[in-house]
Amino acid sequence: DAPIKLNTLVMENMRVSFPVLIDRIRQYYGEAFIYQVHKIVGSADFLGNPVGLFNNLSSGVVDIFYEPYQGITMSDRPQDLGIEIARGATSFVKKTVYGFSDSLLKFTGSIRKGLASATLDKTFQDHRRISQYKNRPKHALYGMAQGANSLVTSISSGFEGLVRKPIEGVEKEGSTGLIKGVGKGIVGFVTKPVVGMFDLASNVSAGIRNTTTVFDEKKLYLYICLDSLVVTEF
């Protein structure tokens, strides 16, 4: 999601061969892309997407001044100016909270993905993936509850793996499988609680981020279908 923007290349009265034309276009857009590499790096999730954080904060700062300006230009009533000042301050707080929580979510989410792979337990990974898909935090309280549940599940899975992995190894490969199973169980015992901690942080961050948009106005689209009126909410 890096905000890469490439300007239009305008060339008038070009009288060159086709290979030269292609080379100039390639050179122009190649240089334009290279000059924006920092935006790609800055949008990386493992860095917390600092570019996205900056965009949210700067947009909030703009709203602090833009909303009162709108109030002054659109109305002469003092109460309208006060309303616009409050609206600008609210927008700033909202976008600031959204930006920091979204940045933390992407940072912790990136780390927990790698740690989940390091558990060497595909069953745990699949169960965790399904749980994340079905239980996406809609607000802060739900995020805290879901995060705590993920932490408890991860810790219990770590203890379970100490017993289950050696048994599975013996059933599949005998004594060699026992050694492998003990190793996988120990690795899971160490890594799964850490995954749970990052799941907790990610769910809380996602809940806080989504809380900032839960009261946004929802648009209603009306569709007339035959003789009935169907209202669909997005």
Side-chain angles (χ1 to χ4, degrees):
D1 297 326
I4 299 299
K5 296 180 180 179
L6 301 176
N7 293 326
T8 302
L9 172 61
V10 179
M11 297 182 291
E12 297 180 355
N13 301 320
M14 291 294 294
R15 288 179 172 82
V16 295
S17 62
F18 185 72
V20 173
L21 176 63
I22 295 300
D23 183 66
R24 291 191 181 183
I25 295 174
R26 185 189 302 113
Q27 181 180 359
Y28 173 80
Y29 284 108
E31 291 178 354
F33 183 81
I34 292 298
Y35 291 151
Q36 300 183 75
V37 168
H38 64 282
K39 293 184 178 180
I40 300 177
V41 177
S43 298
D45 286 353
F46 71 90
L47 294 178
N49 190 14
V51 171
L53 174 61
F54 174 78
N55 289 338
N56 280 301
L57 294 179
S58 59
S59 177
V61 172
V62 169
D63 287 344
I64 291 180
F65 300 98
Y66 177 75
E67 295 295 343
Y69 173 76
Q70 284 288 97
I72 295 174
T73 57
M74 300 298 291
S75 176
D76 296 330
R77 298 188 304 172
Q79 58 268 34
D80 289 341
L81 175 60
I83 293 174
E84 295 302 327
I85 291 175
R87 183 177 297 174
T90 301
S91 177
F92 171 74
V93 173
K94 172 184 170 182
K95 291 182 178 180
T96 300
V97 173
Y98 182 94
F100 278 107
S101 58
D102 182 68
S103 182
L104 180 60
L105 170 63
K106 291 184 176 180
F107 173 72
T108 55
S110 178
I111 294 178
R112 66 177 182 167
K113 287 179 183 178
L115 289 175
S117 301
T119 60
L120 305 178
D121 190 338
K122 192 172 186 308
T123 302
F124 170 77
Q125 296 170 15
D126 293 340
H127 176 76
R128 180 175 161 277
R129 191 179 301 112
I130 293 173
S131 177
Q132 290 175 2
Y133 179 78
K134 290 183 177 180
N135 303 299
R136 295 179 179 177
K138 297 179 181 179
H139 50 76
L141 293 177
Y142 190 92
M144 292 178 64
Q146 181 59 28
N149 181 63
S150 297
L151 176 59
V152 172
T153 302
S154 298
I155 294 175
S156 61
S157 179
F159 281 102
E160 178 191 354
L162 286 175
V163 179
R164 181 169 55 85
K165 286 298 181 180
I167 295 176
E168 290 179 353
V170 171
E171 292 176 349
K172 291 180 180 180
E173 302 179 39
S175 58
T176 303
L178 174 63
I179 297 174
K180 292 181 180 179
V182 170
K184 290 181 178 180
I186 294 174
V187 170
F189 179 76
V190 174
T191 56
K192 287 177 182 178
V194 180
V195 173
M197 291 295 296
F198 277 99
D199 281 343
L200 173 61
S202 292
N203 279 284
V204 172
S205 300
I208 294 174
R209 183 194 66 177
N210 295 337
T211 300
T212 62
T213 59
V214 73
F215 296 112
D216 286 356
E217 295 181 2
K218 295 182 179 180
K219 297 180 180 179
L220 295 178
Y221 295 89
L222 304 181
Y223 296 92
I224 299 178
C225 181
L226 299 179
D227 297 330
S228 62
L229 180 64
V230 180
V231 180
T232 305
E233 184 177 81
F234 294 92

